Amino acid sequence: MMRIVHSCFAWAAGAAWGRAAVLSVSLTLSLSLPATAQTVLAPLSERELVELSGQGRYDEVAQRLSPREAQLKPGELHALCHANARTKRYRPLLACLDRLEAALRGRDRASILFGLDDATPTVYLMRAEALLDLGQVQAAAAQAERARLWFEREGSAGERDIQVEAWALLALAAARQQEPAKANGHLSQIEAVKPGLTAGPNLANQRTLGLARGHLALGQYAQACAALQADRQFEFRRSVEVLLHGNPRNWVWQQLPRLYMLAKCQDGQGQVAQAKAAYDELLRLPALRHNSAIHWMVLVDRSRIAQAEGEFEAAISGLREALAIIEELRTSIDTEAAKIGFVADKQAAYGALIGLLLAQNRATEALEVVERAKARALVDLLADRQGVATPSAVLARGDARLAVLLERQREAEETLQTQKPLRSEAVWLQERNQLSAATAQLRQAAPELASLVSAAPFSAGELVRLLDADEVGLQYYLHGERLFALTFSAQGSRAYTLDGRGLIADIRDFRAAIVQRTPQALVLGQKLYGRLIAPLESALGSRAVLVVPHSGLHYLPFAALHDGKRYLLDKHALRVTTSASALKYLRHSAAAPGTAALILGNPTGDLPSAEQEARRLNRLLPGSSLLLGAAATRQALMDGAVRARTLHIASHAVFDARQPLESRLILAPATATSSADGGALRVGDIYGLKLTADLVTLSACETGLGQITDGGEVIGITRGFLYAGASTVVASLWQVADEATATLMERFYANLARMNKRDALRAAQLELAKRSAQPYFWASFYLSGSSN
């Protein structure tokens, strides 16, 4: 393959793709172009494309090229994709790359911007970095592999930086997928590539960054530091950049990831004094405020050092500032993930602050941070990622006005987080204010919708007011090997730091023993009671308990915990919620005309007890509508649910751990010739429903299960129905026995005539427990949402 050479200098400034970061810049042209942005949106010449990109004026490149995207030549389209990639505009970037890839299948494959006669591999590399940032690791690895294979087929010695960058991205993907041996293998391939006179001017830089990012992602701090410190040409290239463009701000912006990587490596090796000085230097740079993704990580790392040195107030202040930045960040997008090699855990920042506040006996403040952590985790899981989660239009539930407000908020969020090297402080403040205004407007118009896209702080007093009069709240938060437990009520907040080691394994064993109905279930139930409940019995008293689980605790049947004499259900009425603040948004529907109850049973024809259960409930609930077998279709549910005061579904459910919004209830297909999943009601569909239901009961298999993420939030069918408008959802944690479920449900509904929903479910479970001591038959079901 022949390289088109048209300039005297090529540089790379730390971008996470190889050739896509190489700008071939002429010294003569650099000195002739004004530094200010042009205002006339005329077509750009090749010279102007090179110059604007070389000066970091990517916004102007995008502004000038975007209106003509459909008519752009491959070289121009390449420049537009590059501008979107450098500014981290993911949606237009991915669309641009698709268009560019198609265009490069023709004869014209050259790009004046990059000095290549075939820009094809840069498409793969830019796409791979974007997908890594978006958390789509497997897809990112596939794109990096395409770039690597391209080099093997068509690359020359002067283009080995493409090969190196492909290996680097493959190493990052392997590290993210917890495959260290594979990642180290890719890094060994990079080590084997040696710079030379024929290897191209960018190879040394890409080799340095590839090794540093890969080793940092694997926690190999010494090797990462060695790679960065071996790059002795870095300051020289910076000096040449300033000479060429007179634009040190662009270099400062691009230098930030490298400087942070170096500080992180020193920190990881225990070189505290050097790391502290490096973090402080970063915090003094004005440009750091504009790179939020690095800013919050610097604050967290620096706060940890402050805490170790006994500067507790400084550590708390730094962590609070970091959380404020996190809550402004684009949801579920790590804008520096590919560039610096690793994804920092945002939830760890919350955990660090919670632990520090508890160490200072500030339980009320810690409670508020726990709630913020869970709210942010929920926002991240529901983020409108590329084809992964619930679309904005679904969250807005067909309301055009809300859809506009939601899109406005998202656009403001993206604008603020766009990486603009030449953005002034005034512009940055203006964009931040625009995001605040858009979020406030959305929150005023639709508070619950706003809570799904932007975490809002709640005071301890507000959380207490969400409790029932006879209730105490119990928040859990698992952070590393520590489990924080906080009780809250009108009498105040109390905090406990418990042992979290092996907790998830204990819960897994407990569930397995219950389902297998072995005597070990009682033993494990007592063990977990001792870990989770016994230390705080005095704070719970004899009151009802609102349990707010975290991480693996979402899978725990609290009702079946045992103190050696009695089950927890014997002592306390229980209800569960994913976050206490979510209770604020529950709809309490007034009595309305329509179907008293919509009951769907045995839609797949293989659950005879479910059909029997549905028929019994139909007789028990006057005015109810009954749909059985082939009549219990997805469409029938969606049509009838909007009018039902009670919605009861007795069917199979499928839990998708990888994509929780693909979890689904299995209903009957619309016709006999429908596809196998034609009757599936997915969580994404549920979010689009508009319900007036006072109660939704999911008498199905595993309906209460949702994905447990690093943030510890569960998203599943239950949360979908609550957002759709249900006041209360009753769901199950494991595959339930048909006969026992039918009996339990019949007693539950009968009890509703004389007690609230929480107590009605408890009474039904206690009655069934008298018949069988095995919690398998009665402890699966739990109530989420309103008890009244």
Side-chain angles (χ1 to χ4, degrees):
M1 173 181 171
M2 298 295 294
R3 177 184 299 279
I4 298 176
V5 179
H6 64 275
S7 66
C8 63
F9 181 72
W11 61 271
W17 54 91
R19 189 62 49 191
V22 180
L23 297 178
S24 299
V25 182
S26 164
L27 177 59
T28 303
L29 294 179
S30 300
L31 298 177
S32 65
L33 187 71
T36 57
Q38 299 181 27
T39 56
V40 180
L41 299 180
L44 286 169
S45 66
E46 291 181 346
R47 163 188 167 177
E48 289 173 311
L49 277 178
V50 170
E51 291 306 316
L52 290 174
S53 298
Q55 294 179 10
R57 294 158 68 179
Y58 306 117
D59 268 3
E60 189 169 349
V61 173
Q63 185 183 26
R64 299 279 290 276
L65 294 179
S66 293
R68 300 188 300 111
E69 184 170 351
Q71 291 79 43
L72 294 179
K73 298 176 182 178
E76 296 173 310
L77 193 56
H78 198 184
L80 174 60
C81 295
H82 175 255
N84 287 329
R86 291 305 297 270
T87 54
K88 302 288 188 177
R89 289 185 172 97
Y90 298 97
R91 286 190 291 169
L93 167 62
L94 293 175
C96 181
L97 290 173
D98 289 344
R99 187 185 293 274
L100 176 58
E101 184 174 4
L104 290 174
R105 296 192 186 106
R107 292 185 177 181
D108 183 3
R109 300 181 184 180
S111 172
I112 187 70
L113 184 63
F114 303 98
L116 292 174
D117 63 355
D118 187 354
T120 299
T122 66
V123 174
Y124 308 145
L125 294 173
M126 284 189 280
R127 191 182 281 138
E129 176 179 326
L131 292 171
L132 271 180
D133 286 350
L134 293 167
Q136 299 179 38
V137 181
Q138 287 184 329
Q143 292 299 313
E145 179 65 9
R146 293 179 74 185
R148 188 191 68 79
L149 291 173
W150 178 93
F151 177 82
E152 285 191 0
R153 292 191 309 267
E154 304 184 40
S156 66
E159 295 156 345
R160 298 211 71 173
D161 53 324
I162 290 173
Q163 181 191 39
V164 165
E165 184 57 22
W167 283 122
L169 289 167
L170 287 167
L172 294 183
R176 293 273 292 276
Q177 292 178 303
Q178 271 121 71
E179 298 177 314
K182 195 175 192 181
N184 278 313
H186 297 320
L187 294 177
S188 296
Q189 296 286 347
I190 298 175
E191 288 274 11
V193 178
K194 303 301 182 185
L197 293 177
T198 62
N202 191 45
L203 178 60
N205 187 67
Q206 288 303 329
R207 186 175 181 276
T208 293
L209 291 171
L211 291 171
R213 288 182 288 149
H215 286 307
L216 192 58
L218 291 167
Q220 298 167 352
Y221 298 110
Q223 296 95 316
C225 253
L228 288 168
Q229 291 166 343
D231 185 4
R232 305 192 183 280
Q233 297 296 315
F234 185 80
E235 288 303 323
F236 169 76
R237 289 197 300 272
R238 179 186 180 196
S239 300
V240 175
E241 163 66 11
V242 174
L243 173 65
L244 288 176
H245 299 301
N247 182 19
R249 283 184 297 172
N250 192 24
W251 248 97
V252 169
W253 177 266
Q254 294 161 347
Q255 191 181 3
L256 281 173
R258 185 185 186 278
L259 293 176
Y260 175 68
M261 291 166 68
L262 187 57
K264 188 71 176 177
C265 289
Q266 293 169 333
D267 196 359
Q269 293 181 89
Q271 300 169 7
V272 179
Q274 297 96 314
K276 178 180 176 181
Y279 291 140
D280 287 342
E281 180 185 353
L282 281 165
L283 289 168
R284 284 192 292 269
L285 291 174
L288 182 64
R289 286 215 305 163
H290 300 185
N291 192 326
S292 301
I294 289 180
H295 191 187
W296 77 264
M297 289 188 286
V298 173
L299 287 165
V300 169
D301 290 333
R302 183 63 182 87
S303 295
R304 180 175 30 77
I305 293 174
Q307 181 179 356
E309 294 178 344
E311 299 175 356
F312 300 119
E313 287 305 318
I316 289 171
S317 176
L319 287 170
R320 286 194 184 279
E321 186 177 355
L323 297 193
I325 294 169
I326 287 171
E327 287 161 11
E328 272 186 351
L329 285 171
R330 277 184 281 180
T331 47
S332 292
I333 295 177
D334 296 286
T335 57
E336 298 294 343
K339 194 180 292 184
I340 62 178
F342 74 102
V343 178
D345 182 3
K346 298 181 183 71
Q347 284 292 313
Y350 289 94
L353 181 55
I354 294 164
L356 188 51
L357 289 170
L358 291 182
Q360 300 296 304
N361 297 313
R362 293 155 71 168
T364 299
E365 294 174 67
L367 172 65
E368 293 168 351
V369 177
V370 168
E371 194 58 36
R372 285 174 67 181
K374 293 179 178 181
R376 174 67 199 202
L378 176 62
V379 167
D380 277 341
L381 283 170
L382 278 180
D384 186 4
R385 296 168 64 182
Q386 300 292 330
V388 175
T390 309
S392 300
V394 172
L395 288 181
R397 288 202 288 254
D399 187 319
R401 181 179 64 94
L402 293 185
V404 168
L405 291 175
L406 189 60
E407 186 62 22
R408 186 179 300 163
Q409 189 273 345
R410 185 168 71 169
E411 287 177 355
E413 186 182 52
E414 290 179 355
T415 298
L416 178 63
Q417 298 302 324
T418 294
Q419 296 191 355
K420 302 176 184 176
L422 305 180
R423 174 166 45 193
S424 69
E425 186 76 4
V427 170
W428 178 76
L429 287 171
Q430 181 183 21
E431 291 173 352
R432 193 175 189 184
N433 291 336
Q434 287 172 344
L435 173 59
S436 296
T439 303
Q441 192 174 10
L442 180 64
R443 190 163 285 133
Q444 182 177 10
E448 184 183 9
L449 175 56
S451 75
L452 300 182
V453 297
S454 177
F458 275 74
S459 69
E462 288 178 290
L463 298 178
V464 168
R465 286 192 289 273
L466 293 170
L467 296 170
D468 289 343
D470 63 342
E471 198 170 45
V472 58
L474 173 55
Q475 284 262 20
Y476 287 104
Y477 193 86
L478 184 63
H479 178 54
E481 294 186 342
R482 293 189 296 173
L483 176 66
F484 303 127
L486 300 99
T487 60
F488 59 101
S489 67
Q491 285 71 49
S493 303
R494 295 172 65 179
Y496 308 81
T497 299
L498 310 176
D499 185 2
R501 291 175 296 181
L503 178 61
I504 305 303
D506 282 353
I507 292 172
R508 188 183 302 117
D509 292 344
F510 181 45
R511 284 172 51 86
I514 288 176
V515 172
Q516 294 164 14
R517 287 169 262 180
T518 68
Q520 190 69 7
L522 187 61
V523 175
L524 291 170
Q526 292 179 21
K527 178 181 179 181
L528 284 166
Y529 186 98
R531 295 185 66 171
L532 302 173
I533 303 298
L536 30 123
E537 282 181 322
S538 62
L540 299 181
S542 60
R543 290 175 288 181
V545 181
L546 170 70
V547 183
V548 192
H550 184 242
S551 187
L553 289 162
H554 282 290
Y555 283 82
L556 177 66
F558 281 87
L561 299 182
H562 201 279
D563 68 358
K565 297 179 180 179
R566 294 182 296 171
Y567 287 107
L568 186 64
L569 187 68
D570 290 312
K571 302 164 69 173
H572 302 279
L574 303 171
R575 64 173 173 148
V576 178
T577 182
T578 54
S579 70
S581 57
L583 298 177
K584 178 179 179 180
Y585 308 114
L586 295 178
R587 290 176 176 82
H588 302 282
S589 304
T595 306
L598 175 63
I599 303 169
L600 292 88
N602 193 21
T604 52
D606 60 347
L607 294 172
S609 292
E611 183 167 333
Q612 182 183 11
E613 170 190 329
R615 291 185 185 277
R616 288 179 185 173
L617 295 180
N618 183 47
R619 292 192 294 270
L620 186 64
L621 302 175
S624 59
S625 176
L626 178 64
L627 298 174
L628 297 174
T633 65
R634 173 181 180 275
Q635 192 59 49
L637 184 150
M638 296 183 74
D639 290 342
V642 297
R643 299 184 302 274
R645 298 284 297 153
T646 298
L647 178 61
H648 186 97
I649 305 171
S651 72
H652 288 297
V654 175
F655 168 59
D656 190 329
R658 291 184 304 106
Q659 298 184 71
L661 296 179
E662 287 297 307
S663 297
R664 54 202 178 273
L665 295 172
I666 304 302
L667 302 171
T671 66
T673 58
S674 296
S675 61
D677 66 342
L681 183 72
R682 290 176 170 78
V683 175
D685 302 324
I686 297 170
Y687 274 87
L689 293 174
K690 290 184 178 180
L691 302 180
T692 59
D694 187 55
L695 171 65
V696 172
T697 301
L698 304 173
S699 178
C701 301
E702 299 182 344
T703 50
L705 294 183
Q707 185 182 32
I708 295 182
T709 67
D710 291 340
E713 185 58 80
V714 168
I715 292 297
I717 295 172
T718 301
R719 185 65 184 90
F721 275 109
L722 290 174
Y723 178 69
S727 297
T728 307
V729 175
V730 171
S732 57
L733 287 168
W734 57 75
Q735 286 191 339
V736 290
D738 288 347
E739 288 290 346
T741 300
T743 301
L744 178 69
M745 288 299 152
E746 189 172 3
R747 297 311 309 146
F748 168 54
Y749 282 103
N751 292 339
L752 287 175
R754 54 190 177 86
M755 60 185 75
N756 67 36
K757 289 174 282 190
R758 180 196 65 199
D759 294 342
L761 179 62
R762 181 193 185 203
Q765 290 175 304
L766 290 175
E767 183 176 341
L768 199 60
K770 291 178 181 178
R771 304 182 189 181
S772 172
Q774 293 285 353
Y776 167 76
F777 294 103
W778 52 265
S780 172
F781 286 95
Y782 69 96
L783 181 144
S784 185
S786 173
S787 60
N788 297 311

